[in-house]
Amino acid sequence: MKVGVLALQGDVPEQRRGFERLLGADSVLSVRRPDDLESVHALGMPGGESTAISQLLDDAGMREPLERRIREGLPVLATCAGLILLSRRLERVPGLREPRPMELLDVTVRRNDYGRQRESFEAPVHVEGLVGGPFPGVFIRAPRILATGPEAHILARRGDEVVGVSAGRVWGLTFHPELSDDTRVHARFLSESLGWRL
Ligand code: GLN
């Protein structure tokens, strides 16, 4: 089994490590070109700058093949900028250049919505199906999920707020599970999407 990490911009090494700590380095592939997509059974879409990643997807000729693979059933674990790129609706933020989202997750998202002084924080998150209590959610200039539509399944909450959704095997989280020591989110994603067992 091979898991790819979209390696155009952002926290690619951290995303790789997120999967490597469960699967080993040989099972994780950096995805930079359309061909790379053919050999992976699941994909991580990292945090970073969604506008930059969006542009690089176009430059690399990756947008259309990536969208097609996801629509055909490729499981995706998208965090932060990754979630922004999969969202159906983005609320415009004055002064920010807009990425072009793929509209695969039925959510409305506003970027950088937790304010400057709280650009980064950690908070307990309740993730569906995880045993062993709340997950330590690391939020870095995180987007906020303002609304979810009927096609979005709610996967994670921080208090009353939705911080993670899924649509089939596509997961989008506003926090970064690859930046905490806790491997439960990755383990659950791999077991739900690929039947992987530790
Ligand atoms: N603020 C970034 C954006 O809007 C996302 C931040 C992140 O991925 N950690 O694209």
Side-chain angles (χ1 to χ4, degrees):
M1 178 170 77
K2 282 243 187 280
V3 174
V5 169
L6 185 67
L8 300 176
Q9 193 269 343
D11 72 340
V12 175
E14 291 80 4
Q15 270 268 349
R16 286 192 55 112
R17 213 169 308 125
F19 288 108
E20 284 172 4
R21 57 197 177 169
L22 293 170
L23 302 173
D26 291 346
S27 300
V28 183
L29 185 85
S30 290
V31 169
R32 297 193 181 86
R33 300 178 310 135
D35 288 357
D36 298 332
L37 281 171
E38 301 309 319
S39 48
V40 300
H41 303 99
L43 183 74
M45 288 178 64
E49 209 46 57
S50 52
T51 313
I53 299 173
S54 179
Q55 183 64 54
L56 291 164
L57 279 172
D58 290 329
D59 295 349
M62 288 280 287
R63 181 181 294 273
E64 196 272 326
L66 177 58
E67 272 192 43
R68 182 162 22 90
R69 275 284 271 142
I70 299 174
R71 287 185 199 280
E72 285 168 3
L74 181 70
V76 179
L77 177 61
T79 68
C80 213
L83 160 72
I84 294 167
L85 288 167
L86 294 180
S87 298
R88 193 158 295 168
R89 295 166 297 275
L90 293 186
E91 209 165 270
R92 242 199 105 65
V93 181
L96 276 191
R97 216 155 63 80
E98 295 294 298
R100 197 172 122 216
M102 296 186 211
E103 307 182 8
L104 294 162
L105 288 174
D106 191 5
V107 289
T108 306
V109 161
R110 196 193 290 135
R111 295 166 64 202
N112 298 7
D113 203 48
Y114 292 92
R116 276 211 185 140
Q117 48 299 38
R118 296 174 66 201
E119 278 188 341
S120 135
F121 61 95
E122 192 173 318
V125 165
H126 293 272
V127 182
E128 185 186 71
L130 288 198
V131 288
F135 187 87
V138 176
F139 294 82
I140 299 174
R141 290 193 307 122
R144 195 190 301 265
I145 296 174
L146 299 175
T148 58
E151 289 166 40
H153 174 80
I154 293 169
L155 201 59
R157 289 181 190 271
R158 170 185 171 236
D160 290 338
E161 191 164 75
V162 175
V163 294
V165 295
S166 65
R169 301 195 292 178
V170 179
W171 290 23
L173 310 172
T174 64
F175 58 99
H176 290 268
E178 72 280 9
L179 294 183
S180 77
D181 294 334
D182 194 320
T183 57
R184 285 178 298 159
V185 166
H186 284 79
R188 173 122 180 122
F189 168 75
L190 291 170
S191 69
E192 288 281 295
S193 61
L194 296 170
W196 177 83
R197 293 284 174 274
L198 201 58

